[in-house]
């Protein structure tokens, strides 16, 4: 089996947590692509969140991790991309449910709220928990239908 790829990105509010997590992800056997940022200098989270979420949306990466100060900005950006289900997780329970019920394909962390030890616990649970399918798949199908409808509306309004 080929190794699983994962993309990770952060703004300045998530930079140090991103750096702290990377070696652990590699240790877990993941092939990590870092989409920035590369320092704690202030940047705009849509630039980095959008870059990484775009690669999950197109299927280039099966999963991603995004980190900003609160996790909110990155969540808003990521969930604009079709097919992306980004979940802001502050604890292991939410991380588990975001996989079991929502098949979340992007984990969002709050660099200014979550310490590296807790973040690592969240990441481990998130990576290890499978999607349950069944009634939850029906709900995801409805979200997909909404995405398709919204796409039709925006195509029509461009005519
Ligand atoms: C940056 O100061 C901060 O606004 C950003 O990291 C994030 O928390 C936005 O939602």
């Amino acid at each position: 089996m080929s190794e699983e790829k994962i993309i990770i990105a952060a703004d300045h509010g998530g930079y140090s947590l991103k750096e702290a997590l990377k070696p652990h992800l590699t240790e877990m056997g993941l092939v990590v692509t870092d989409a920035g940022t590369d320092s704690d200098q202030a940047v705009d989270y849509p630039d980095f969140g959008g870059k990484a979420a775009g690669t999950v949306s197109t299927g280039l990466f099966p999963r991603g991790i995004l980190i900003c100060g609160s996790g909110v900005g990155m969540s808003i950006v990521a969930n604009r991309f079709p097919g992306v289900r980004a979940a802001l997780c502050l604890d292991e329970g939410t991380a588990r449910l975001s996989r079991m019920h929502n098949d979340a394909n992007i984990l969002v962390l709050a660099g200014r709220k979550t310490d590296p030890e807790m973040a690592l616990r969240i990441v481990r649970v998130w990576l290890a928990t499978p999607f349950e399918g069944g009634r939850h798949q029906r709900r995801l199908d409805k979200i997909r239908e909404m995405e398709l409808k919204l796409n039709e509306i925006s195509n029509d309004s461009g005519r």
Side-chain angles (χ1 to χ4, degrees):
M1 204 180 97
S2 68
E3 288 167 309
E4 190 184 338
K5 303 189 290 181
I6 195 159
I7 188 155
I8 189 166
D11 74 352
H12 53 292
Y15 170 71
S16 69
L17 184 54
K18 171 169 73 67
E19 294 306 303
L21 287 176
K22 276 194 307 184
H24 294 284
L25 295 170
T26 306
E27 250 173 52
M28 289 174 211
L30 292 159
V31 179
V32 181
T33 295
D34 183 347
T37 184
D38 300 327
S39 78
D40 59 8
Q41 292 301 301
V43 291
D44 296 333
Y45 60 82
D47 296 338
F48 295 89
K51 191 158 50 157
T55 67
V56 174
S57 181
T58 58
L60 195 59
F61 283 84
R63 306 212 244 193
I65 298 175
L66 297 179
I67 317 170
C68 63
S70 63
V72 174
M74 286 298 198
S75 305
I76 292 171
V77 169
N79 280 313
R80 299 191 70 82
F81 285 78
V84 165
R85 294 175 300 279
L88 170 56
C89 297
L90 301 175
D91 56 60
E92 292 156 276
T94 314
R96 186 173 294 110
L97 283 174
S98 81
R99 290 287 314 130
M100 286 167 63
H101 290 189
N102 313 109
D103 198 17
N105 50 13
I106 292 192
L107 170 64
V108 185
L109 295 169
R112 292 182 180 145
K113 300 270 172 213
T114 305
D115 64 41
E117 201 185 306
M118 172 56 92
L120 188 55
R121 294 219 297 268
I122 291 170
V123 167
R124 285 192 196 284
V125 166
W126 191 77
L127 289 171
T129 306
F131 177 48
E132 269 183 1
R135 68 189 190 282
H136 303 296
Q137 183 58 56
R138 183 179 72 237
R139 292 156 186 169
L140 297 191
D141 291 344
K142 291 188 177 186
I143 295 172
R144 182 70 191 140
E145 275 167 33
M146 284 177 197
E147 284 177 341
L148 294 172
K149 265 193 201 128
L150 287 169
N151 191 33
E152 265 172 40
I153 292 166
S154 78
N155 285 346
D156 286 350
S157 67
R159 271 185 203 142

